[in-house]
Amino acid sequence: MEQTAIRGRPREFCCEQALAAALRVFWTKGYEGASLSELTDAMGITRPSLYAAFGNKEALFRQALDLYEREKLAYIGPALDMPTARGVAQHLLDGALSTIAGNGQPTGCLSVISVTACGAEAQSIREEVLKRGETVKRALVARMQRAIDEGEFVGAADAEAITKYLIAVLQGMAVLAGSGTTRKELERVAETTMGMWPSR
């Protein structure tokens, strides 16, 4: 039986590999710092192919951010499922270290880079990143409130403040990693944070 011809010209590249390459560029340069030429060179495709497969630069970034969250931030879900708040914090710090400290990939955090480096012309990107971060923050506040209700923190405790403190540490570590701080130095920051955390 004769095989039916596929309409249109087939793509001559792997979309998944091209998207992974784009992610590395955005992760290294930020949204505004990544030029279309740098993106297409890294992806090994032409601009028309980029537009046909991914849409414009903003759409490509959103897809790269989706990939980043699926692959690089996958530790967040399991962290929230840890039995204690201390376990949550430790898992988040360990996961962040694995993501931001290099190991053959760019240093720092794509979300932090994108928020801090976005100017007025990329406001929609900044808002998108902040919106996604807010979802994680709400889940973390709820988890910390549960820990407070279960008596894990001695004395008065504020779930919102605890969450903001932990996020500040994580984002600060990402900024340090992006500026060249070594993994060993980042590990000391994580150890210090856990040293001050309630032992329960």
Side-chain angles (χ1 to χ4, degrees), residues 6 13 21 40 43 57 73 84 142 147 155 161:
I6 300 174
F13 64 92
T40 53
M43 297 165 77
K57 180 183 175 183
L73 302 184
T84 65

Side-chain angles (χ1 to χ4, degrees), residues 54-199:
F54 302 102
N56 58 17
K57 180 183 175 183
E58 183 173 331
L60 174 63
F61 178 83
R62 291 176 191 276
Q63 292 173 69
L65 189 58
D66 289 339
L67 177 61
Y68 180 79
E69 290 180 345
R70 286 196 307 271
E71 293 190 351
K72 308 304 180 184
L73 302 184
Y75 62 87
I76 293 177
L80 293 171
D81 291 334
M82 297 300 288
T84 65
R86 182 178 180 83
V88 172
Q90 184 70 69
H91 203 84
L92 287 174
L93 289 165
D94 290 344
L97 275 169
S98 296
T99 300
I100 67 176
N103 297 325
Q105 62 190 15
T107 56
C109 172
L110 175 63
S111 298
V112 173
I113 293 169
S114 300
V115 169
T116 56
C118 277
E121 64 273 25
Q123 185 62 27
S124 63
I125 289 296
R126 184 174 187 276
E127 290 173 357
E128 172 76 12
V129 173
L130 289 173
K131 180 180 178 181
R132 295 187 188 207
E134 188 63 28
T135 300
V136 174
K137 178 189 168 186
R138 285 199 301 271
L140 192 50
V141 168
R143 182 62 188 85
M144 290 301 129
Q145 185 59 56
R146 193 181 106 196
I148 292 171
D149 295 342
E150 292 174 354
E152 289 188 44
F153 293 91
V154 178
D158 183 325
E160 184 91 17
I162 294 169
T163 297
K164 286 182 177 178
Y165 165 73
L166 188 52
I167 290 174
V169 171
L170 293 167
Q171 291 181 342
M173 287 171 60
V175 172
L176 289 171
S179 64
T181 301
T182 66
R183 182 185 179 93
K184 183 176 286 291
E185 291 171 321
L186 293 171
E187 288 173 348
R188 288 178 60 193
V189 174
E191 289 167 2
T192 300
T193 301
M194 293 311 303
M196 296 186 294
W197 200 270
S199 59

